[in-house]
Amino acid sequence: MMLEHIPVKGYRPSLLITLFYGVIATSMWSNMHFWVLLLCGCVLLVRLSLYFGQNKHAPNKRTVNLLAVLSAIALLTTSGDLPLLPIMINLLVLACSLKLMLIALRRDFYQLIICGTFLVACGFILYQSLFRSLFYAAALVFLLYILLSAHSPFSPSKARQKRLAVLLLQTLPVAALLFIFMPRLPPLWKMPESKQTETGLSETMTPGDIAKLTKSDDLAFTATFDDTLPAPKARYWRAFSLEQFNGKSWTVSDTRRHARRQLQQMNRLFTPHTQGPAISYEIILEPTQKHWLVGLDTAISADSSYAQSIWQGWDYQLTNRKPIFSRYAYALTSYPQTIRNQGLGSLDQQVNLQLPKDGNPETVQWVQELRQKYQNNRDFARALMMYFGNSGFEYTLTPPAMTSDPVDNFLFTYKSGFCAHYASAMAYAFRLAGIPARIVTGYQGGTPLNDDTLSIYQYDAHAWVEAWLDENGWQQFDPTTMVAPTRINGGFEHAARYSGELIGENPFSGLSHQGIFAYLTAFGAKMDYMWSRWFLGFNEERQTDIFKHILGKLSPLRIALLGGGIILLIVGLLTLYFMPRWRPIPLAEHQKVYLAAVKLIEGFTGIPREEKSARRYYQAIEATLPEPIGRRFFAITQYFEHREYGAPPPQAIAKDNLAQLKTAIKKHQPLRA
């Protein structure tokens, strides 16, 4: 039995809970301050010394309170760039670490168990890959094992493991039913948004910003096609359009944002008239904490169920009605041959012809001369593309800094840059020539995961240009293809490794592409994809499809009957698990002896046992029992605890204790009378 006060030395649950917090904090290292992890390590050393008896007393409360104040000040001063959720996780880990040094009561232990469960839940939110999910599931099981160990510290380890396994097996059917049939309700609170998106794409782009994503091999999204994969040249994944230019940076237009908000409030939907062959596919998008989605041009929702949550913008941009805080699955159908001239023509002209007041004088002069030579818009666009291809430009991940007149320096001085440099210069040149133009940011390419699935990573981030040349509307131009065609045909990773620019940044950067490591990397990616598609991607639309498959036509009555049936099934399972069995469970010998002794003691003292544990019942009546009766009943209580809970064996266990107890009670019965 677990007493109110927890022992300091040799109490294994306190050691296990300390190890648990050390492992959990380390697993979240990317969202933790180094000094917080260091403090967790110090707490681990303190608890180890207390467990093995090297220190007999824990730090006093005054010392821990002073450390808590200093830690809070340090957290406030070092968390300026962190999102709110990681800050709160750091704070919780700090509080639990300090609590570990003062753990003395059972209440303290339960508080740590509850906080540990919350940290595991945060791990599921922050890291949703298959292997991380398995790790946090194992951490939760370990936490439950610690709780069982605290309730029965002296029971055999195999008995605790068996009990835990039975409990977990009992929860699996209920959990599966709730996962499949529980309505996907909106959250009761809003997740704190970070200052930057999880993927790295931003609504503001300065040439060179996208190049920073080349150092990230994080997954951006996966796309599964109904038919064969599109050609590499057709893998342009639109995220959003940047239409406001101040001479250095491109941003989402305030006018466009305001117009989109008004149209959404009016529920004025835009459904483009599509033409040509269709490409159907499903996307599983990683968390971005933003509303925008990705898709091939021109994309529309695959069916009405997805259309309820996806908004088709008049600038052909897809957005979700809710921010993407976890992996999100949605289905699209794209029509690449659709003529994109169906938007808000007047707004497109107004927004995409705006120019900064000054700056980049060489570019202004050059475009004026080029425009006089090429009056036709298509000829002018062709001349721009040829200039990038024939003027000695270089595609590089580490372009020189261009702080003043960046377009002039890029076009005529350095002639080296990343995709954003080329897109920015070309879009600016179009506008100087009186041609509406904008930058589209998103991703280009993708690594085949299997015959019908592409994995698109952060290093596939890309920027290109759209210009309105004639009645055919927006047309795509990618000047990067004139300088680095391998970037489009072979993907960014192939082009970067071929150029050698990634070599040397990390000595192990190419290890995952060799031998057994390449196989393990591909296998892990496939497993993670299956996890994302069938479990994390199980959203409202998939659940609705299951309801339709089971019920046929959906109606309130049928849905109510299905919900009632599921509730009755769950109640039946819980009843089967926890209600008493119809046949009484045979009692063991030690249980029969103890219950017989309790009956005798209740008759002798008049004090019922009720729901008290064996030890607490003895403590409650100890003062009322004469010496021989108390001694015999205490021996029986010790024997019962030893057999039932694995407590340390009593010094003397006699089978005739019950008979001797009866004799002692008979001798004292006249005295009580």
Side-chain angles (χ1 to χ4, degrees):
M1 285 293 297
M2 187 175 179
L3 301 179
E4 185 68 24
H5 286 273
I6 295 177
V8 176
K9 178 182 178 182
Y11 187 65
R12 184 171 297 178
S14 64
L15 177 64
L16 295 179
I17 194 68
T18 305
L19 294 175
F20 167 83
Y21 272 101
V23 173
I24 287 295
T26 305
S27 71
M28 300 181 181
W29 64 270
S30 60
N31 289 280
M32 300 289 296
H33 290 298
F34 175 76
W35 64 270
V36 176
L37 295 177
L38 187 62
L39 179 62
C40 292
C42 294
V43 172
L44 178 60
L45 294 178
V46 171
R47 292 308 311 184
L48 285 174
S49 64
L50 293 173
Y51 177 78
F52 291 108
Q54 297 177 355
N55 290 330
K56 297 183 179 180
H57 301 285
N60 58 58
K61 291 185 178 180
R62 181 177 299 178
T63 302
V64 176
N65 289 338
L66 178 60
L67 185 58
V69 173
L70 295 176
S71 299
I73 295 174
L75 186 62
L76 288 174
T77 57
T78 58
S79 301
D81 296 333
L82 280 180
L84 181 59
L85 182 58
I87 292 177
M88 301 307 296
I89 292 176
N90 277 272
L91 180 61
L92 183 59
V93 171
L94 270 177
C96 292
S97 299
L98 298 175
K99 189 67 175 179
L100 280 169
M101 290 193 289
L102 294 177
I103 181 172
L105 301 176
R106 181 169 54 182
R107 177 188 60 191
D108 302 331
F109 196 86
Y110 286 156
Q111 289 173 352
L112 289 172
I113 291 290
I114 294 173
C115 292
T117 306
F118 185 80
L119 279 177
V120 172
C122 291
F124 279 112
I125 294 174
L126 292 173
Y127 311 100
Q128 296 184 333
S129 65
L130 172 61
F131 299 106
R132 283 296 190 105
S133 299
L134 291 177
F135 168 79
Y136 287 113
L140 182 60
V141 173
F142 182 57
L143 191 63
L144 296 176
Y145 177 78
I146 296 173
L147 185 60
L148 283 177
S149 300
H151 278 284
S152 55
F154 302 109
S155 64
S157 178
K158 289 185 178 179
R160 295 197 296 267
Q161 295 172 6
K162 180 179 179 181
R163 178 60 176 164
L164 180 60
V166 170
L167 290 174
L168 292 175
L169 289 176
Q170 289 177 338
T171 61
L172 287 179
V174 178
L177 289 172
L178 292 176
F179 176 78
I180 296 174
F181 296 103
M182 184 71 178
R184 292 306 193 259
L185 300 176
L188 301 179
W189 60 88
K190 183 179 180 181
M191 287 287 294
E193 296 187 24
S194 64
K195 296 179 181 180
Q196 294 180 347
T197 63
E198 181 73 17
T199 63
L201 284 179
S202 173
E203 294 184 354
T204 299
M205 185 199 76
T206 299
D209 286 350
I210 292 183
K212 298 176 183 178
L213 294 180
T214 60
K215 299 180 181 180
S216 173
D217 58 356
D218 294 336
L219 183 68
F221 61 93
T222 56
T224 303
F225 293 85
D226 292 351
D227 298 318
T228 59
L229 300 177
K233 293 182 179 180
R235 300 173 187 172
Y236 281 85
W237 307 92
R238 174 192 293 268
F240 45 80
S241 303
L242 305 178
E243 300 175 301
Q244 188 169 316
F245 183 52
N246 62 5
K248 294 182 180 180
S249 301
W250 291 82
T251 61
V252 175
S253 171
D254 293 334
T255 304
R256 178 75 68 180
R257 187 184 289 111
H258 180 69
R260 182 185 299 119
R261 188 181 302 114
Q262 284 187 327
L263 292 171
Q264 289 178 344
Q265 292 175 352
M266 297 166 57
N267 199 26
R268 185 178 174 184
L269 302 178
F270 172 55
T271 304
H273 300 289
T274 58
Q275 59 187 40
I279 302 176
S280 298
Y281 52 98
E282 180 188 58
I283 287 180
I284 301 177
L285 183 66
E286 296 295 303
T288 63
Q289 302 184 16
K290 300 296 181 181
H291 292 267
W292 53 264
L293 304 175
V294 294
L296 301 173
D297 284 327
T298 297
I300 60 174
S301 300
D303 54 50
S304 58
S305 59
Y306 289 101
Q308 296 176 359
S309 58
I310 297 177
W311 173 270
Q312 173 70 260
W314 293 74
D315 56 346
Y316 300 92
Q317 175 182 328
L318 297 177
T319 56
N320 196 54
R321 296 182 185 272
K322 302 176 184 177
I324 309 300
F325 287 119
S326 60
R327 287 184 176 177
Y328 179 68
Y330 57 98
L332 298 175
T333 301
S334 292
Y335 298 85
Q337 297 182 10
T338 297
I339 298 177
R340 296 196 298 275
N341 60 354
Q342 307 167 44
L344 301 175
S346 58
L347 179 64
D348 291 339
Q349 295 284 335
Q350 174 188 352
V351 171
N352 293 287
L353 283 175
Q354 294 178 350
L355 291 168
K357 295 180 180 180
D358 51 20
N360 303 296
E362 293 185 59
T363 304
V364 174
Q365 179 65 29
W366 172 68
V367 170
Q368 289 177 353
E369 296 175 356
L370 195 65
R371 186 57 165 165
Q372 291 178 358
K373 186 176 181 179
Y374 299 99
Q375 299 292 327
N376 182 272
N377 289 345
R378 290 190 173 275
D379 293 339
F380 180 80
R382 191 178 300 110
L384 287 179
M385 294 289 284
M386 295 305 296
Y387 177 78
F388 288 115
N390 300 330
S391 301
F393 280 87
E394 178 185 4
Y395 181 82
T396 177
L397 307 180
T398 55
M402 308 174 196
T403 56
S404 61
D405 296 328
V407 180
D408 283 354
N409 286 321
F410 169 68
L411 287 176
F412 309 111
T413 304
Y414 298 107
K415 293 188 176 182
S416 62
F418 197 59
C419 61
H421 291 84
Y422 293 96
S424 177
M426 189 172 190
Y428 181 52
F430 271 130
R431 291 191 177 186
L432 289 173
I435 300 174
R438 62 192 180 193
I439 288 180
V440 180
T441 58
Y443 299 88
Q444 198 286 322
T447 303
L449 188 61
N450 49 46
D451 293 339
D452 59 357
T453 304
L454 289 173
S455 295
I456 293 84
Y457 297 91
Q458 292 303 331
Y459 54 67
D460 291 315
H462 194 54
W464 60 95
V465 179
E466 282 186 341
W468 190 295
L469 300 184
D470 49 35
E471 65 278 357
N472 289 326
W474 293 109
Q475 299 175 46
Q476 177 179 304
F477 296 91
D478 189 356
T480 304
T481 59
M482 304 301 295
V483 182
T486 56
R487 164 64 181 89
I488 308 302
N489 298 326
F492 166 78
E493 187 180 23
H494 171 76
R497 294 191 181 281
Y498 178 80
S499 65
E501 289 193 88
L502 292 184
I503 304 300
E505 289 189 3
N506 183 351
F508 303 102
S509 59
L511 193 61
S512 61
H513 299 271
Q514 300 178 5
I516 186 64
F517 297 102
Y519 172 78
L520 293 176
T521 301
F523 177 77
K526 292 179 180 179
M527 294 297 294
D528 191 57
Y529 163 73
M530 296 300 296
W531 165 256
S532 300
R533 186 176 187 186
W534 298 112
F535 290 92
L536 299 181
F538 188 79
N539 51 19
E540 298 177 11
E541 290 77 15
R542 290 182 179 272
Q543 189 180 59
T544 302
D545 292 339
I546 291 180
F547 289 165
K548 291 179 180 179
H549 182 74
I550 296 176
L551 302 176
K553 182 180 180 180
L554 296 182
S555 66
L557 177 61
R558 293 185 179 185
I559 294 177
L561 291 176
L562 177 62
I566 298 300
I567 293 175
L568 290 177
L569 180 58
I570 293 176
V571 171
L573 289 174
L574 295 177
T575 303
L576 180 65
Y577 294 157
F578 299 109
M579 289 293 289
R581 303 295 189 269
W582 291 107
R583 294 183 179 181
I585 301 176
L587 298 177
E589 179 185 358
H590 69 280
Q591 294 172 333
K592 293 179 180 179
V593 171
Y594 178 72
L595 292 178
V598 168
K599 185 176 182 180
L600 290 172
I601 292 297
E602 288 178 340
F604 179 76
T605 62
I607 302 175
R609 180 191 173 198
E610 297 176 341
E611 300 297 329
K612 297 183 181 69
S613 65
R615 180 58 59 94
R616 288 192 177 275
Y617 182 59
Y618 173 76
Q619 293 173 346
I621 64 174
E622 180 181 7
T624 64
L625 297 177
E627 190 278 332
I629 296 178
R631 177 162 46 85
R632 298 301 178 187
F633 185 63
F634 181 68
I636 294 174
T637 300
Q638 280 188 310
Y639 179 66
F640 173 78
E641 287 183 335
H642 168 66
R643 296 296 303 273
E644 190 74 11
Y645 304 111
Q651 295 180 354
I653 300 176
K655 294 183 178 180
D656 59 345
N657 273 326
L658 182 60
Q660 294 177 6
L661 177 65
K662 292 180 180 179
T663 303
I665 290 178
K666 288 180 180 180
K667 289 181 179 180
H668 286 79
Q669 201 72 36
L671 297 178
R672 290 190 58 83

